[in-house]
Amino acid sequence: MNLHRIAAVIDKEIHDALRNRYIVMLMVLLPIVFAAIPILSLTSIRQIPPSRGSSGELPPALARRLAGLPPQAQLEVFLVSQFTLLFWIAPLAIPMTIAAYSVVGEKREKALEPLLATPVTTGELLTGKALAAACPGIALSWAAYLLVVAAAHGIRLSPPALETLWGPTAWVQIFALGPLITLLATLTGLIVSSRVNDPRLAEQIGMVVILPLLGLILAQSFGILWLSGALLGVIALFLVGVDALLAALAVALFERETILTRWR
Amino acid sequence: MIRAENLTKRYDGILALDGLTFEVHEGELLALLGPNGAGKTTTLRLLLGLISPTSGRIWIAGEPMTPGSHGLRRRIGYLPETPGFWERLPAWKNLEIYARLYGVPAPRSRVMALLEQFGLADRAHDPVATFSRGMRQRLALARALIHDPPILLLDEPTAGLDPEAALEVRERLRALKGQGRTILLCTHDLEEAERLGDRVAILRTRLLALDTPDRLRAQRFGVVVAIELDGDPEPYLPRVQGQPGVIQAALRNGRLEIQVTDLRAVTPNLVRSLVEAGAPILSVTPVKASLEELYLQIIREGRGPGESG
């Protein structure tokens, strides 16, 4: 792997993405939306008089886990834990869009043939494309997360809720699982993008990755499961394996000859 | 510099290239001619290692070329049939990315120098989407040269250009040839092939002909000299037919057309003989069949049974 060539591919992808109005709009709006939802929700529950806050509205399994906390704190912890999961999804939209257009878009512009005629290897090309697609989304989701953390301190969230938002478990979710899931979505988008000739189709197929995540969010909402530190560790390890497998698969499935000769 | 040996390529069982063997020598410009679907683009893609041959082998500068020979691509500049730029990016950025992919030192200054050289410096910061076809072709040529390669593979560089733009590209190709680069030029423009090419190759799935245009003409049509007289040439026909070195002679378009074994050796004696016989000679000109006539004849002969067009 030649790092200079990977950097050149990243540079191209970022410059190209920044000239795509749709992607720029996503880059501006998504962090705002993903920061605003938790901030507004947490601010609004701070307005509820303590007497009206009730743990009876939480799923029973969750209420048991949070037993011992004041009802207001229980609600805050519950909401914060749900919002932390939101940051798994937050970085996905931008990388999926960039990745989905990545190969198909170049093929449509007929820009892939001269690019493949350079010394760049498939591994370098896909690494550059994957990093360029994944990094902006991850960076923006981290920025949104830090905004939420700052706002949470500003509105004086209860200490247990603050610990849930800014503690080792949350860090694993935001700084490890978020990027791993983003990479998974990006690689899926790239694989699909190199096999189909419609970027929208690539994006739609790639978005299937979100479904298991929504399942996890719903499972935690209903108290079916609680994402403890140990469980998150297992998920992270699983994702490392899946990402490595997908990366190898992406290189194997990127058939230069098929892409050049069969796509019209 | 470029050597292809028995190259065959099939796409899903369909034969695109059949046993192609040829060489392009260092500093030579070989024009590759052939109708659409003859296998010209397939040949270039094979030479670049973009696709693998079904059978056969390729050497670039003495090294075998395969789809895994990424480093060997540094020796080659490629201009595909459709230039293919990142349309939203400015011209300089398009070139700069390529410069970095090829590992060009000081890429920015190399890019600016090339844009200047190709008359695009004032549009360097404009998106390629705003460029005319001629400007794109110049930019594509600049991109092919970004790493100063000794070998150029050019796929129809003047196709679709207006005469002025095509002339400009041809001038640049002539200059590149003058720099000693080895060039394989695919073209439909026979005049371009004749003007620029040291040799021409005529391809129709298989190689039908490969030589200099003059030698191909001599092989196909022989060497012909036309002698125009002031008056009826018919009485002089028997005298000409009897001359040494004359293969055949005929009256055509009111003049004597004589096929000879060697233009330089036979023509002076022919003229002397006619003058001695009192023939009023107005002009003596070697007859050259156009490359178009030659091309069409070779292509028609190379067509398989039942093929048309």
Side-chain angles (χ1 to χ4, degrees), chain A residues 4-5 7-9 11-12 15-16 19-20 106 109-111 113-122 256-257 260-262, chain B residues 9 11-12 45 48 50-52 70 73-74 78 80 82-90 93 96-98 100-102 143:
Chain A
H4 295 291
R5 285 200 289 265
V9 175
D11 189 13
K12 177 261 149 185
H15 269 83
D16 211 14
R19 280 170 172 79
N20 183 326
E106 269 182 345
E109 285 182 330
K110 299 195 184 296
E113 185 164 354
L115 181 62
L116 294 180
T118 69
V120 74
T121 65
T122 303
R256 288 171 177 239
E257 181 160 341
L260 287 179
T261 58
R262 305 239 175 111
Chain B
K9 180 67 186 173
Y11 295 113
D12 293 330
R45 286 175 171 172
L48 270 162
L50 290 175
I51 57 177
S52 340
H70 299 286
R73 297 204 182 106
R74 263 197 212 92
Y78 180 45
T82 309
F85 291 104
W86 300 302
E87 298 281 325
R88 288 186 290 258
L89 297 192
K93 192 72 196 172
E96 194 227 24
I97 301 287
Y98 276 91
R100 288 163 61 190
L101 289 172
Y102 281 109
R143 183 181 61 193

Side-chain angles (χ1 to χ4, degrees), chain A residues 22 26 92-101 104 189 192-193 196 198-209:
Chain A
Y22 175 59
L26 277 180
L92 292 184
I94 296 166
M96 279 306 303
T97 309
I98 297 176
Y101 278 84
V104 185
V192 178
S193 184
V196 300
D198 181 355
R200 282 165 301 181
L201 180 64
E203 204 172 353
Q204 285 156 10
I205 297 173
M207 280 294 180
V208 170
V209 170

Side-chain angles (χ1 to χ4, degrees), chain A residues 220-263:
Chain A
Q220 183 161 284
S221 307
F222 293 119
I224 297 166
L225 101 156
W226 184 253
L227 293 167
S228 62
L231 182 56
L232 289 172
V234 171
I235 294 174
L237 281 176
F238 173 72
L239 284 174
V240 168
V242 172
D243 282 350
L245 196 70
L246 274 182
L249 200 63
V251 173
L253 291 176
F254 190 88
E255 292 171 3
R256 288 171 177 239
E257 181 160 341
T258 308
I259 290 171
L260 287 179
T261 58
R262 305 239 175 111
W263 286 11

Side-chain angles (χ1 to χ4, degrees), chain B residues 116-138:
Chain B
E116 186 73 47
Q117 189 187 329
F118 280 81
L120 293 166
D122 56 334
R123 299 290 303 271
H125 297 279
D126 293 346
V128 176
T130 63
F131 279 26
S132 69
R133 192 162 178 140
M135 289 164 73
R136 280 163 188 268
Q137 213 64 347
R138 273 187 281 154

